[in-house]
C-alpha cells in the first residue's frame, strides 16, 4: 500500500526576515511564521488528512513549526537538517553565490551539494522504509526539500522552479522503496 509523505519547509524565521543565511544555525519563528504553520495545519484539516507519524529536523524552527500543526509525538532527526553553509552561517544572504551552489560552501567548512543531497535522501528513505503508518509529516528546510525533490525528479512529473516558500508542502507517494512527487501545496499567505 502506498504511503503518503508530507515533506514541509518550516515557517518564516527571524533570520528569514533579516535575510540571513541559516543552515545549521537557528533562529525562532516570527509571528508570521507561526501563522503560516497554522494555515498549513488548516490544509490537513480541510483535506481530512490524519497524520499518523511525524518527524522534524533538530533545528528549533522545524520543531516549532511541527508543533503548530499536530500534537502527536514526534522524533527530531539530525539527517533532516538544512545544508551546512560553514563560515557563511548567520551572514547576509547577498554573500551567497549564484545558483546552483554546487560545492561552493565546502571550501568554507560547509557541505558539498551531493553529500548534502545524499544525507537528506538516505535519512528520509530510512525513515520511510521503517514506517508502518500511512500519513507521515516531516518538517525540514527549503534546500533540504529541494534536494530531496532533485533526488527523485526522475520519477516525478510535478516540479517547481521557483523557491519553495515557508510552510510549502511536498506531497510524495512512497511504495516499493520509490518516491514520486504528487503535488506541491503552496499556501495563500496574502492575508497575514
Amino acid at each position: 500500500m502506498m504511503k503518503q509523505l508530507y515533506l514541509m519547509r518550516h515557517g518564516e524565521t527571524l533570520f528569514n526576515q533579516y535575510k540571513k543565511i541559516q543552515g545549521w544555525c537557528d533562529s525562532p519563528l516570527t509571528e508570521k511564521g507561526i501563522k503560516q504553520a497554522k494555515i498549513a495545519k488548516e490544509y490537513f484539516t480541510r483535506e481530512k488528512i490524519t497524520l499518523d507519524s511525524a518527524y522534524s529536523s533538530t533545528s528549533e524552527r522545524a520543531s516549532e513549526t511541527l508543533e503548530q500543526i499536530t500534537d502527536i509525538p514526534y522524533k527530531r532527526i539530525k539527517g533532516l537538517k538544512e545544508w551546512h553553509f560553514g563560515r557563511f552561517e548567520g551572514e547576509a544572504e547577498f554573500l551567497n553565490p549564484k545558483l546552483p551552489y554546487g560545492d561552493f560552501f565546502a571550501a568554507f567548512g560547509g557541505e558539498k551539494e551531493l553529500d548534502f543531497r545524499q544525507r537528506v535522501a538516505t535519512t528520509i528513505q530510512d525513515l520511510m522504509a521503517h514506517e508502518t503508518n500511512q500519513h507521515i509529516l516531516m518538517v525540514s528546510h527549503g534546500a533540504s526539500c529541494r534536494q530531496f525533490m532533485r533526488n527523485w525528479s526522475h520519477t516525478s512529473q510535478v516540479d517547481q522552479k521557483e523557491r519553495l516558500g515557508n510552510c510549502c508542502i511536498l506531497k510524495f507517494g512512497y511504495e516499493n522503496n520509490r518516491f514520486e512527487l504528487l503535488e506541491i501545496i503552496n499556501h495563500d499567505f496574502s492575508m497575514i
Side-chain angles (χ1 to χ4, degrees):
M1 178 166 54
M2 183 177 282
K3 298 174 193 172
Q4 305 294 314
L5 166 64
Y6 299 91
L7 181 60
M8 182 176 154
R9 184 180 177 207
H10 60 79
E12 181 192 72
T13 67
L14 197 61
F15 274 21
N16 291 149
Q17 208 174 55
Y18 291 150
K19 304 216 178 302
K20 298 268 189 190
I21 298 169
Q22 67 182 342
W24 284 15
C25 66
D26 210 358
S27 67
L29 294 181
T30 61
E31 276 188 46
K32 181 178 180 180
I34 292 168
K35 289 176 184 175
Q36 289 170 332
K38 289 178 179 178
I39 289 170
K41 177 181 181 171
E42 291 171 10
Y43 161 78
F44 293 107
T45 302
R46 186 175 57 253
E47 297 296 317
K48 297 179 174 57
I49 298 166
T50 301
L51 296 169
D52 304 310
S53 297
Y55 303 87
S56 86
S57 154
T58 53
S59 297
E60 287 296 318
R61 61 192 186 266
S63 59
E64 285 182 57
T65 299
L66 187 145
E67 289 167 7
Q68 295 297 320
I69 294 169
T70 182
D71 58 0
I72 64 173
Y74 68 95
K75 292 181 183 169
R76 297 177 72 191
I77 307 292
K78 286 183 181 180
L80 294 175
K81 284 182 80 155
E82 181 60 290
W83 198 330
H84 186 245
F85 296 117
R87 290 193 299 260
F88 281 79
E89 295 278 339
E91 298 293 337
E93 285 182 357
F94 74 81
L95 295 173
N96 276 332
K98 290 188 180 198
L99 291 170
Y101 296 153
D103 293 339
F104 175 84
F105 297 106
F108 302 95
E111 286 178 287
K112 292 182 177 181
E113 182 175 6
L114 293 181
D115 291 346
F116 165 52
R117 182 182 301 173
Q118 188 62 45
R119 170 176 57 83
V120 173
T122 299
T123 297
I124 294 174
Q125 176 73 44
D126 289 348
L127 290 170
M128 291 298 287
H130 293 96
E131 185 58 62
T132 57
N133 289 311
Q134 183 66 30
H135 299 281
I136 297 95
L137 172 65
M138 294 186 193
V139 180
S140 190
H141 307 271
S144 300
C145 293
R146 176 67 73 188
Q147 290 295 330
F148 189 73
M149 279 177 66
R150 287 187 179 131
N151 193 69
W152 290 97
S153 62
H154 65 283
T155 64
S156 305
Q157 300 298 312
V158 177
D159 193 15
Q160 176 176 312
K161 300 297 181 205
E162 300 84 33
R163 183 177 182 182
L164 299 176
N166 292 104
C167 289
C168 173
I169 301 169
L170 306 176
K171 179 182 176 182
F172 285 91
Y174 175 75
E175 192 169 34
N176 299 322
N177 296 317
R178 181 179 181 269
F179 291 89
E180 179 184 358
L181 181 58
L182 304 173
E183 184 179 3
I184 299 174
I185 299 99
N186 285 301
H187 312 284
D188 179 9
F189 297 132
S190 60
M191 302 303 286
I192 55 175

